[in-house]
Amino acid sequence: EAKKRGRNRVEFFSDELRAATIETKRTADELLKALECDEFVPYFQPQFDAHSLAISGVEALARWAHPERGILTPDIFLDVAEGLGRVAEIDALVLSKSLFQMTRWRGQGIGIPKLSVNISAQRLKDPKLLGTLSAMPIGDHKVAFELLESISFEDQEEDLKSAIRHLKELGIEIEIDDFGSGHASIVSLLELAPHRLKIDRKLVAPIDVSESQRRLVASIIEIGRSLGIDIVAEGVETMAHAEILKGMGCNTLQGYAFARPMSSQDLIIFAEEWQKLHPAAHRPATLRRA
Ligand code: C2E
Ligand code: MG
Ligand code: MG
Ligand code: MG
């Protein structure tokens, strides 16, 4: 009886596995078509200066505008794209479309101070990256690349360092994403001399209920402050979180408490409304000082 049940269970799992494989295969086929049909678009999540609450930048996040399934988030397609070796292409699309929007917004009177995009290890390792970037209108805007903390180059550490040096020479700022979520050593990360650390949302979430978690985040902010590295908190879901983080000296806040990722059309509406609500925050620094 047990043996029979055991065998059934194996069959059950292999059915599931087969279904998952078929699903992945279907997504892979569709994804290749989607790249051809240009179905990937950036969504934008605003980031806020913790003190003035001015919009200090936006993070571009890839979305697949699927003709039948609607707007799909990266959990549906990122791993598949990675497996196909096509994630660098999505990164590139997101960057060029986001730069286009930055210029458009500026023309509409909305100056977004900074654009952050996520960059995969695949793209960072692409020898053609720097050539591609130099041909883009990056100098017109402040652009930052978010590198996952988990990007592990181990034996290619030198490659990573030189890639990052070249990016900085192009004027691109470096942010370490999901900081505190992985196993990379703080020392090796700080050696990259990033402009910003983004504290992982799993570390941010419990700060309103746990004193030890609060201390952990406070000490990360302190390290940043002493090294002149800005600290961004991601996954700020409540105003209580925002207040605690601001009190600890965190520079930038990003999360559902303020705004979700949104389309470029919605971003301009949001930014216009926000500037009306917080006019002083958005006045140019020269005027504010007068
Ligand atoms: P990430 O770069 O850490 O981006 C933050 C993620 O957290 C986004 O998920 C965002 O929608 C979500 N988020 C923002 N605020 C909150 C909050 O208050 N609470 C919660 N629970 N979540 C929040 P999304 O858009 O699904 O992206 C997931 C991940 O996919 C990103 O994490 C990033 O690692 C990756 N990704 C997104 N776009 C790209 C891209 O263009 N290229 C590459 N290589 N990776 C990308
Ligand atoms: Mg990111
Ligand atoms: Mg992150
Ligand atoms: Mg993440």
Side-chain angles (χ1 to χ4, degrees), residues 26-195:
R26 188 172 74 106
T27 307
D29 290 342
E30 285 192 24
L31 191 141
L32 293 173
K33 234 178 287 154
L35 278 168
E36 235 169 80
C37 301
D38 197 22
E39 289 171 6
F40 288 92
V41 294
Y43 263 39
F44 301 94
Q45 188 177 31
Q47 302 171 325
F48 302 86
D49 179 280
H51 282 274
S52 70
L53 289 188
I55 296 174
S56 56
V58 292
E59 177 176 3
L61 294 155
R63 294 292 182 267
W64 176 357
H66 193 286
E68 283 119 42
R69 294 158 75 193
I71 299 290
L72 304 181
T73 50
D75 53 311
I76 307 284
F77 60 82
L78 213 56
D79 287 348
V80 178
E82 192 130 25
L84 290 167
R86 305 294 288 268
V87 71
E89 222 171 305
I90 295 176
D91 291 353
L93 280 168
V94 166
L95 174 61
S96 63
K97 290 186 180 187
S98 299
L99 285 171
F100 177 82
Q101 293 300 341
M102 290 283 281
T103 303
R104 227 181 109 229
W105 293 329
R106 187 185 280 167
Q108 291 173 277
I110 300 288
I112 300 292
K114 175 174 68 74
L115 168 71
S116 293
V117 299
N118 296 280
I119 182 163
S120 60
Q122 233 169 59
R123 184 151 202 242
L124 206 53
K125 285 189 229 170
D126 180 355
K128 293 195 298 289
L129 174 64
L130 293 170
T132 315
L133 291 176
S134 355
M136 294 177 106
I138 285 177
D140 299 354
H141 305 283
K142 189 161 156 188
V143 175
F145 280 1
E146 298 190 5
L147 276 67
L148 283 179
E149 191 207 80
S150 59
I151 286 186
S152 132
F153 278 68
E154 287 140 16
D155 48 346
Q156 303 175 52
E157 189 105 28
E158 281 312 311
D159 290 1
L160 173 65
K161 281 189 207 149
S162 92
I164 286 178
R165 205 169 40 242
H166 286 121
L167 291 176
K168 286 178 179 169
E169 279 163 19
L170 287 175
I172 293 169
E173 299 189 341
I174 302 298
E175 305 183 352
I176 304 294
D177 205 351
D178 297 0
F179 183 76
S181 67
H183 303 283
S185 85
I186 288 201
V187 176
S188 70
L189 286 173
L190 295 182
E191 236 178 87
L192 301 176
H195 295 79

Side-chain angles (χ1 to χ4, degrees), residues 48 53-55 258 270-279 282:
F48 302 86
L53 289 188
I55 296 174
F258 298 96
F270 177 89
E272 275 170 351
E273 288 300 309
W274 192 266
Q275 288 190 10
K276 266 184 234 154
L277 288 171
H278 304 88
H282 286 273

